[in-house]
Amino acid sequence: MRKIIIAIDGFSSCGKSTMAKALARNIGYLYFDSGAMYRAVALFCMKNELIKGDNIDKEALLACIKDINITFEVDPETKNSITFLNGKNVEHEIRSLEVSQFVSKIAAIDFVREEMVNRQREMGKAKGIVMDGRDIGTTVFPNAELKVFVTASAEVRAQRRYDELTARGDKADFNEILENVLQRDHIDQTREISPLKRADDALLLDNSNLTREEQMNWLIEQFNKLTQEC
Ligand code: DC
C-alpha cells in the first residue's frame, strides 16, 4: 500500500491533535504536532527572558532559533507523543494558558515559521505521516495526498478546552477561554505569513456534532479511498 502524507489543518481547539493522533495510531503512521513546535519556541522565549513587556526580542530570538532543539518521543505507556525542548520534557508546560495566550505572536514571526516549516518538511520526507497545524496543507505540504480542514463553533471549542484544563487540575474560566479562542482565530486568520485558510483541495470536516467514532470512520474511509486507489 502506498504511503501518503496526511495534512490536518483547522481552528484551534477543534480536536485536531486528538483526531490526528488517533488516526496515525490506527493506520500505523507517525504523528507530528506542528503546533507543539511553535508552543515550544514560545516557552523557550518565556524562559529565556526574550520577552520584554508585550514585545519579543526578535533579534535575540533570530540569533538562537537554529539552536532551539525540539524533538518528539512516544510515551511507551500511553503511546502519546511527548514534546522535548532542548532535551527536557515540556509536554505539560507548553499546554498552559500562559503559553496559549502568547504563542500566536511567536507563530506570526517570519523567521520562526521558516525554520519550523523546514524542520516539518524534513519530518515528512519518508511520507507515512499525519501532521496537524494551520498551514500544513497550504504551505508545508501543498502536495499532501490527503488534506482535511477541521472546524467547529467557537463555543464548542472553548468548552472542549475548558474540559481539558479542568481535567488536568488547572483552574479555568470559560469566558476567558472563549475570548482566547476568538482572539487566536483572529490572529491565525489575519497574520501576513501563512494565514490559516482552507486549501482549495482540502476536505472540510465540521465536527461540532460528530462523535469521535463517527469522525474516525470518516477519516479512515478517506484514507482507504486514496491508498487503495493506486
Ligand atoms: O494547534 P495549537 O493550538 O497547539 O497551535 C499553537 C499555535 O501555533 C496557534 O496559535 C497556531 C500556531 N500554529 C501555526 O501557526 N501553524 C501551525 N502549523 C501550527 C500551529
Side-chain angles (χ1 to χ4, degrees), residues 65-71 84-87 119:
I65 188 79
K66 290 215 183 291
D67 300 322
I68 304 178
N69 185 253
I70 303 164
T71 49
F84 286 80
L85 170 62
N86 292 332
R119 294 185 194 191

Side-chain angles (χ1 to χ4, degrees), residues 109-209:
I109 302 175
D110 52 0
F111 62 83
V112 174
R113 298 208 71 85
E114 195 182 316
E115 178 65 25
M116 296 306 123
V117 167
N118 286 341
R119 294 185 194 191
Q120 289 152 8
R121 287 186 178 146
E122 203 55 40
M123 292 163 175
K125 265 194 170 159
K127 299 210 175 189
I129 67 158
V130 181
M131 189 177 284
D132 74 325
R134 304 291 188 287
D135 61 341
I136 310 305
T138 50
T139 305
V140 183
F141 298 119
N143 297 322
E145 291 83 351
L146 176 56
K147 298 182 188 176
V148 180
F149 190 85
V150 198
T151 185
S153 74
E155 286 73 18
V156 167
R157 289 183 284 136
Q159 186 63 49
R160 288 178 186 160
R161 185 89 188 108
Y162 175 88
D163 293 344
E164 200 180 298
L165 287 168
T166 50
R168 65 182 223 167
D170 285 356
K171 267 200 205 148
D173 176 276
F174 178 81
N175 290 324
E176 197 183 334
I177 293 170
L178 180 58
E179 203 176 302
N180 177 244
V181 164
L182 292 170
Q183 198 185 354
R184 279 210 281 165
D185 285 359
H186 180 73
I187 299 177
D188 289 346
Q189 287 176 294
T190 56
R191 72 171 170 235
E192 260 175 50
I193 321 155
S194 288
L196 170 67
K197 74 175 170 59
R198 179 182 168 190
D200 294 339
D201 51 351
L203 303 171
L204 184 68
L205 172 63
D206 183 336
N207 67 12
S208 305
N209 299 308

Side-chain angles (χ1 to χ4, degrees), residues 1-2 4 145 221-230:
M1 199 189 280
R2 70 171 183 148
I4 64 168
E145 291 83 351
E221 197 185 312
Q222 308 310 318
F223 172 75
N224 285 341
K225 253 193 241 167
L226 271 166
T227 51
Q228 286 165 8
E229 253 168 25
C230 329

Side-chain angles (χ1 to χ4, degrees), residues 54-113:
D54 271 353
N55 295 321
I56 299 153
D57 185 344
K58 290 191 189 167
E59 224 171 281
L61 180 58
L62 177 61
C64 63
I65 188 79
K66 290 215 183 291
D67 300 322
I68 304 178
N69 185 253
I70 303 164
T71 49
F72 297 103
E73 278 180 28
V74 177
D75 184 320
E77 268 174 40
T78 62
K79 306 280 180 238
N80 283 337
S81 165
I82 308 170
T83 312
F84 286 80
L85 170 62
N86 292 332
K88 186 179 169 233
N89 180 341
V90 291
E91 188 54 37
H92 188 81
E93 257 178 297
I94 59 167
R95 311 286 163 195
S96 68
L97 193 56
E98 233 185 325
V99 172
S100 300
Q101 274 164 344
F102 176 62
V103 64
S104 292
K105 287 188 179 156
I106 289 291
I109 302 175
D110 52 0
F111 62 83
V112 174
R113 298 208 71 85

